[in-house]
Amino acid sequence: MTSFTHDTVPTRYAEGGGIRFAYRRFGMPGRPPLLFFQHFMGTLDDHDPALSDAFAGDREIILFNNAGVASSGGIVPDTIEAMARDAITFTDALGLTTIDVVGHSMGGLVAQEVAIARPDLVRRLVLVGTGPRGGEGIGALPAWVADLFTMKYERQEDMWLPILFAPTRTSQAAGRAYVERIVARADRDAPLSDQSIAAQRAALAAYGAAKDPSYAHLRGLNLPVLVVNGSDDIVIPTINSYILQQFLPDAELILYPDANHGAHFQYPGLFVRHARIFLDQEPAGAGTDPG
Amino acid sequence: MTSFTHDTVPTRYAEGGGIRFAYRRFGMPGRPPLLFFQHFMGTLDDHDPALSDAFAGDREIILFNNAGVASSGGIVPDTIEAMARDAITFTDALGLTTIDVVGHSMGGLVAQEVAIARPDLVRRLVLVGTGPRGGEGIGALPAWVADLFTMKYERQEDMWLPILFAPTRTSQAAGRAYVERIVARADRDAPLSDQSIAAQRAALAAYGAAKDPSYAHLRGLNLPVLVVNGSDDIVIPTINSYILQQFLPDAELILYPDANHGAHFQYPGLFVRHARIFLDQEPAGAGTDPG
């Protein structure tokens, strides 16, 4: 047990499969640790301290860069499935045997593949702003959305305002508060290389192109899943969250109003309450009332 | 303040517009009272004590029969809008000025019309197993579902098992527990007349037939709404809950797994926790984090 917070915990490194993974680990041991799987172009610094510090009150939080991302070694592979193998290498390097996961956007795709490959490892899964393999518009952004990822800003973190938040006064205000939170940490992560970004883009396109209207792939995810999104996700359209709920064996769906691809950053307090109810419910299993 | 429960509170009557409305009122005064709007063919006895007793711990609960239903006087009108006018007559008869509402199925349609007609009256709205005016398949049941409403049972309340619960072991077990709860009260409500049922059926069909793919009607509902449903609602298909979330100005959506038209009866503990977070959140308003 440490008294570190999101902003004060040192970055550490774990070696596995010839790769040096950068990670930050803090919070209260006891329950299964909660691992956050990061989105396209995201580093350790793009996780929200409002979330990790809130969860850290009663569980361990692990933030990490997957292979080839920012301060981690190795290279970013060009498939989601290979990213999942790298993430499993990382969890094995830490000796983790049971984890809960919050996967956001591309991180939600990787998290699904981890849970399919290692059902013994992942206990419960929270999927935010993401979708199924072969989902609607995944890795096939409209040009105006794709352009948002290459815009230059005086403070580059401001790029997330139109990508993660809705174009309303309320959502943009929540977005500015999020950006203030993520720039607060003094000790910054490294940026992503152009190669890493290109490989992530290729992986997203390939995953989105693997169409199957029956979404049979999701039947391999037999753990309890909480699917969360904003009402109008411009990066991975919100209908994908509905599809996840409809085709996963045991999934709950929560959609928040007036929100986009970063709904959990817009409503951190509400998201933590909802996620805690889901993560801490006993008994597990579809159909039974945990209340 | 009384110590009455769902099962012990006496049925009372309020006069308004020449109609004698039957209702049951109990719980802790203070917050706006929580009114439950009942489903097709439902009486006072079909409300779930697990819900009303849980909510009654920190607010007043009001269950009522709308005009023409069971032990209420008057006749059931053949439009949802006229049912809403009757419900407003009832709330006026009680002198209510601010209410929260849980509307289930047809009761959710009526509750929407009440909130549109009287935005001053309704503070927050929970819509379970329902949909928008002109929604998909509303009042146009497949024959096999319509037949479920006319089946005869030794214990007639068992009719709700295939209508409100999913055909799985877990959901049917939750359904049997619900039926045990609703048959526990000794002092029973009257049954609905055939005329009342026929008028409700006509109202549902007319409301479902009022198609408008832009769902402009929902823009009149400017209050915060929580939409809840099961993953596969056979009476008002689950896609209608998604449509409500997408077209209402300020709506959150929660879908539960392994559940049908009575998801809140399947997960009473979870539903009460989710509904309380929604009902009690401050500040109100889309885009702001109540956590």
Side-chain angles (χ1 to χ4, degrees):
Chain A
M1 194 175 101
T2 69
S3 58
F4 287 126
T5 68
H6 184 101
D7 284 350
T8 64
V9 64
T11 303
R12 294 159 67 188
Y13 298 89
E15 300 276 343
I19 299 164
R20 188 166 175 262
F21 292 92
Y23 72 100
R24 296 174 184 161
R25 181 173 186 170
F26 59 108
M28 180 80 74
R31 302 168 196 268
L34 184 59
L35 269 73
F36 286 75
F37 280 43
Q38 188 56 290
H39 59 72
F40 174 60
M41 289 180 71
T43 74
L44 290 172
D45 292 336
D46 297 304
H47 293 287
D48 188 348
L51 298 183
S52 42
D53 284 339
F55 283 116
D58 61 4
R59 71 200 73 208
E60 273 194 299
I61 303 304
I62 301 176
L63 316 176
F64 75 107
N65 284 328
N66 211 343
V69 172
S71 51
S72 278
I75 59 163
V76 175
D78 60 2
T79 68
I80 298 295
E81 292 81 355
M83 292 179 188
R85 287 192 290 274
D86 289 338
I88 290 168
T89 299
F90 167 70
T91 60
D92 286 346
L94 291 192
L96 303 173
T97 55
T98 306
I99 60 174
D100 290 336
V101 172
V102 175
H104 180 207
S105 188
M106 185 189 78
L109 308 180
V110 177
Q112 290 175 65
E113 294 300 325
V114 169
I116 287 171
R118 286 285 301 276
D120 58 304
L121 177 65
V122 186
R123 194 191 69 107
R124 284 179 179 260
L125 182 54
V126 181
L127 297 175
V128 185
T130 194
R133 193 176 75 184
E136 301 289 324
I138 293 176
L141 298 174
W144 73 271
V145 177
D147 288 348
L148 297 175
F149 287 90
T150 57
M151 299 263 290
K152 296 298 169 201
Y153 292 84
E154 191 167 341
R155 179 171 69 173
Q156 193 53 34
E157 287 84 354
D158 286 336
M159 72 179 278
W160 300 119
L161 290 172
I163 292 171
L164 296 177
F165 299 87
T168 60
R169 184 188 55 75
T170 41
S171 187
Q172 287 296 304
R176 287 189 297 274
Y178 162 73
V179 172
E180 292 299 329
R181 292 196 296 273
I182 65 169
V183 300
R185 185 183 162 108
D187 161 34
R188 308 298 292 173
D189 199 359
L192 267 77
S193 70
D194 289 345
Q195 181 276 329
S196 297
I197 294 170
Q200 289 185 339
R201 206 173 260 125
L204 286 163
Y207 203 73
K211 298 294 179 201
D212 168 17
S214 77
Y215 297 103
H217 190 60
L218 296 178
R219 289 181 214 144
L221 278 160
N222 282 297
L223 75 175
V225 180
L226 172 64
V227 181
V228 173
N229 209 347
S231 47
D232 186 13
D233 186 331
I234 63 171
V235 179
I236 298 187
T238 303
I239 191 66
N240 289 290
S241 293
Y242 183 76
I243 292 169
L244 282 172
Q245 196 285 322
Q246 290 285 293
F247 287 90
L248 283 167
D250 181 9
E252 179 181 330
L253 173 66
I254 304 185
L255 298 181
Y256 295 124
D258 185 37
N260 180 6
H261 190 54
H264 56 331
F265 302 149
Q266 178 164 346
Y267 303 95
L270 186 58
F271 172 76
V272 169
R273 291 178 76 178
H274 283 147
R276 274 207 168 117
I277 289 174
F278 168 74
L279 291 172
D280 299 344
Q281 66 190 223
E282 300 290 347
T288 55
D289 182 20
Chain B
M1 193 174 101
T2 68
S3 59
F4 287 127
T5 67
H6 183 102
D7 284 349
T8 64
V9 63
T11 304
R12 296 160 64 188
Y13 297 88
E15 299 276 342
I19 299 163
R20 186 168 175 261
F21 291 92
Y23 71 100
R24 297 174 185 162
R25 182 174 185 169
F26 58 109
M28 179 80 73
R31 303 168 196 267
L34 184 60
L35 269 73
F36 286 76
F37 281 43
Q38 188 56 292
H39 59 72
F40 174 61
M41 289 179 71
T43 74
L44 290 173
D45 292 336
D46 297 303
H47 294 287
D48 187 348
L51 298 183
S52 44
D53 284 337
F55 284 117
D58 60 3
R59 70 201 73 209
E60 273 194 300
I61 303 303
I62 301 175
L63 315 174
F64 77 106
N65 284 328
N66 210 345
V69 172
S71 51
S72 278
I75 59 164
V76 174
D78 61 1
T79 69
I80 298 295
E81 292 82 354
M83 292 179 188
R85 287 192 290 275
D86 289 338
I88 290 168
T89 299
F90 167 70
T91 60
D92 286 346
L94 290 191
L96 303 173
T97 54
T98 306
I99 59 174
D100 290 335
V101 172
V102 175
H104 180 207
S105 188
M106 185 189 77
L109 309 180
V110 177
Q112 290 175 64
E113 294 300 324
V114 168
I116 287 172
R118 286 285 301 276
D120 58 303
L121 176 66
V122 186
R123 194 190 69 106
R124 284 177 178 263
L125 181 56
V126 181
L127 297 176
V128 185
T130 191
R133 193 175 75 183
E136 301 289 325
I138 293 177
L141 298 174
W144 74 272
V145 178
D147 288 348
L148 297 175
F149 287 91
T150 57
M151 298 264 289
K152 298 296 170 202
Y153 292 84
E154 190 167 343
R155 177 171 71 173
Q156 193 53 35
E157 287 83 355
D158 286 336
M159 72 179 278
W160 300 119
L161 290 172
I163 293 171
L164 297 177
F165 299 87
T168 60
R169 185 188 54 76
T170 43
S171 188
Q172 287 296 305
R176 288 189 296 274
Y178 162 75
V179 172
E180 292 299 328
R181 292 196 297 273
I182 65 169
V183 300
R185 185 183 162 107
D187 160 35
R188 307 300 291 173
D189 199 359
L192 267 76
S193 70
D194 289 346
Q195 180 277 329
S196 297
I197 294 170
Q200 289 185 340
R201 207 174 258 127
L204 285 163
Y207 203 74
K211 298 295 180 199
D212 168 17
S214 77
Y215 297 102
H217 189 60
L218 297 177
R219 288 181 215 143
L221 278 160
N222 282 298
L223 76 174
V225 180
L226 173 64
V227 181
V228 173
N229 209 346
S231 47
D232 186 12
D233 185 332
I234 62 171
V235 179
I236 299 189
T238 303
I239 192 66
N240 289 290
S241 293
Y242 183 75
I243 293 169
L244 282 171
Q245 196 286 322
Q246 289 285 293
F247 287 91
L248 282 167
D250 181 9
E252 180 180 328
L253 173 66
I254 303 184
L255 298 181
Y256 295 124
D258 185 37
N260 180 6
H261 190 54
H264 57 331
F265 303 149
Q266 178 164 345
Y267 303 95
L270 186 58
F271 172 76
V272 168
R273 291 178 76 177
H274 283 147
R276 275 208 166 116
I277 289 175
F278 167 74
L279 292 172
D280 300 344
Q281 67 190 223
E282 300 291 346
T288 57
D289 182 20

